[in-house]
Amino acid sequence: MAEKIGSVFHTDKLGTEPEWNAVEVSTDELVESKYQGLERILSSTNLYVQNSTGWLLAIGWQGAIVGLSFVAGTIVQGLITLNNPNYEPQQWHGTLLVIAAVVIAIAINTLLAKSLPMAEFLILFLHVAGLFAIIIPLLVMAPKNNARVALIEITNSGGWSTTGTSFMVGLLTVLGSMMGMDCAVHMSEEVKNASETLPKAILWGASLNAILGYLMIFTLCFTMTDIPALLETKTGFPFLQLFYDITRSVAGTTVMAAIVIITLIFAVVSEVATASRQIWAFARDDGFPFSKFLRRVKPGWNIPLNALLVSLGFGIVIGLINLGSSVALNAIVSLTMSALISSYIVSIGCLISKRLRSEPLPPSRFSLGKYGMAVNILALIFLIPFFIFVFFPTATPVDAQTMNWNVSMFGGITIFATVYYVLGGRKLYRPPVLIQNRDI
């Protein structure tokens, strides 16, 4: 949402200066990505922290592309099942749909890059109008739960020993929709007056989505009267079964689901834009192998084409993993949430540390003012428990198929980034300030 609002001010011009942090915006009217913002808060002895954060973010955003594509593709399969009861879903069907979503998103980001702001604005309209097109039929036609069942009762379908654990693990699905509020930050060098526009876009996006999100959540809580039956749906998606049970219309369900699919596809478009800029920015700082290739911007394109091609290749390769093991695919995709949460914790933690030491923060045109410390502390209190639970499996008992392998992916990327940094990356990596005026 923030990216859709921010993209209205898109300039289609890729700059050469570093991105600057959305929390404490620099006077250059640019906004840093999180790993680069750390450079202005940490001393030079902590370059390793910046470098590791950059690696986690880069891989995490790539996983987000595949994750959203996978959801969109499998919803399409669910719709096919609903429309054709004789259809038997195959893993290779889902893989092709994932690759198709990635290719569409890459094509829009390259061939239609100049039209992207207008397209995002139209999707913003669909996002809002489509929500009411779904909510209204549900509220009018569905039988309702009473307030106690809808708002107080917790269904522990994961086999957890306590309701609290079930509650926290269940919240992770909702938390996924809140990840990526910093999406627009990575587009800062292509936005007019970014140091003021993007923080406002993020706040407007978060506020609007909070209102719409609560409307949708309350609607679902009051209209899901038979949860066990919804979980057993052949479509693979309880919400599709809910739409059909309430409307009793395959066509109506298809239209409602199409709204969800279209918004998901354009979410992939936004993720591709973000992920490619993250790769480009980190490569500009020589954080990757082959950084010279990754940071190159071809004349006349005004987009990081090489970085976009890497996102295309990554999306196709990771999508193909689904042919062999959906567990492996889920492990890679799940890295997105842990990587983003860890980057938020590190960035906010550094700000709190600096405030506690009464050290001056970077000059900014947008500031939280006297509420900054309180907001930072509350954010950490919110994030740290979720960072722990994001490594939990979704249900018990746990075996190789149901295990959440996110922890192995997170640890593997961290170890790889550390080894690369120690063996040679530390000699190549240069903080953004050192290259701010360098032409690429």
Side-chain angles (χ1 to χ4, degrees), residues 211-245:
I211 296 171
L212 298 179
Y214 274 116
L215 285 175
M216 189 73 248
I217 288 173
F218 282 127
T219 299
L220 292 176
C221 286
F222 277 95
T223 56
M224 292 190 302
T225 56
D226 191 354
I227 294 178
L230 294 177
L231 294 175
E232 294 174 1
T233 177
K234 294 181 179 180
T235 66
F237 287 91
F239 80 88
L240 289 179
Q241 190 65 47
L242 178 67
F243 290 172
Y244 178 73
D245 290 346

Side-chain angles (χ1 to χ4, degrees), residues 262-326:
I262 293 172
T263 53
L264 277 173
I265 293 296
F266 272 86
V268 178
V269 173
S270 297
E271 298 293 341
V272 166
T274 296
S276 60
R277 271 64 177 187
Q278 175 68 29
I279 288 178
W280 175 77
F282 196 42
R284 178 187 48 200
D285 303 337
D286 289 315
F288 285 126
F290 312 108
S291 288
K292 186 175 181 181
F293 168 79
L294 294 173
R295 68 173 178 247
R296 185 178 301 144
V297 178
K298 294 186 177 181
W301 280 86
N302 292 321
I303 57 173
L305 182 60
N306 291 348
L308 282 164
L309 293 177
V310 169
S311 294
L312 173 62
F314 193 97
I316 292 175
V317 171
I318 299 305
L320 289 173
I321 290 177
N322 187 50
L323 293 175
S325 172
S326 59

Side-chain angles (χ1 to χ4, degrees), residues 127-149:
H127 174 71
V128 177
L131 182 77
F132 288 99
I134 293 173
I135 286 178
I136 293 174
L138 295 182
L139 290 176
V140 172
M141 303 175 67
K144 309 295 191 302
N145 289 315
N146 60 52
R148 179 179 180 81
V149 172

Side-chain angles (χ1 to χ4, degrees), residues 41 45 57 124 159 171 187 198 255 290 306 341 365 399 435:
I41 298 174
T45 58
L57 280 173
L124 173 60
L171 276 181
M187 304 295 294
L198 290 183
V255 171
F290 312 108
N306 291 348
I341 293 178
R365 297 181 62 189
D399 56 28
I435 61 171

Side-chain angles (χ1 to χ4, degrees), residues 59 62-63 66-67 70 90-99 102 312-335 401 405 409 413:
I59 303 300
Q62 296 301 318
V66 181
F70 183 75
Q90 302 293 328
Q91 278 191 303
W92 67 270
H93 297 169
T95 298
L96 289 178
L97 288 169
V98 169
I99 293 174
V102 173
L312 173 62
F314 193 97
I316 292 175
V317 171
I318 299 305
L320 289 173
I321 290 177
N322 187 50
L323 293 175
S325 172
S326 59
V327 176
L329 175 65
N330 289 330
I332 296 173
V333 170
S334 64
L335 176 65
Q401 295 298 312
W405 296 101
M409 292 298 302
I413 294 298

Side-chain angles (χ1 to χ4, degrees), residues 327-365:
V327 176
L329 175 65
N330 289 330
I332 296 173
V333 170
S334 64
L335 176 65
T336 298
M337 193 175 295
S338 58
L340 290 180
I341 293 178
S342 67
S343 71
Y344 300 151
I345 291 174
V346 171
S347 298
I348 297 171
C350 289
L351 283 173
I352 292 177
S353 175
K354 205 167 182 67
R355 291 179 190 275
L356 290 175
R357 296 197 302 266
S358 299
E359 297 178 3
L361 295 174
S364 64
R365 297 181 62 189

Side-chain angles (χ1 to χ4, degrees), residues 72-212:
T74 48
I75 291 177
V76 171
Q77 282 188 291
L79 269 184
I80 297 174
T81 300
L82 182 67
N83 283 268
N84 180 12
N86 296 322
Y87 169 67
E88 295 184 5
Q90 302 293 328
Q91 278 191 303
W92 67 270
H93 297 169
T95 298
L96 289 178
L97 288 169
V98 169
I99 293 174
V102 173
V103 170
I104 291 172
I106 295 291
I108 293 175
N109 271 277
T110 52
L111 304 178
L112 301 176
K114 292 184 178 181
S115 302
L116 187 57
M118 179 56 68
E120 293 278 18
F121 184 79
L122 294 175
I123 293 300
L124 173 60
F125 174 79
L126 177 64
H127 174 71
V128 177
L131 182 77
F132 288 99
I134 293 173
I135 286 178
I136 293 174
L138 295 182
L139 290 176
V140 172
M141 303 175 67
K144 309 295 191 302
N145 289 315
N146 60 52
R148 179 179 180 81
V149 172
L151 303 178
I152 299 178
E153 288 190 3
I154 298 176
T155 301
N156 184 359
S157 59
W160 294 102
S161 58
T162 65
T163 301
T165 304
S166 176
F167 177 80
M168 290 301 295
V169 172
L171 276 181
L172 294 177
T173 301
V174 181
L175 184 67
S177 65
M178 299 173 63
M179 292 293 96
M181 284 293 180
D182 58 315
C183 223
V185 172
H186 304 283
M187 304 295 294
S188 60
E189 296 177 68
E190 300 165 73
V191 176
K192 296 177 181 177
N193 195 25
S195 60
E196 291 183 308
T197 300
L198 290 183
K200 293 177 181 178
I202 293 173
L203 289 175
W204 275 105
S207 301
L208 180 58
N209 269 328
I211 296 171
L212 298 179

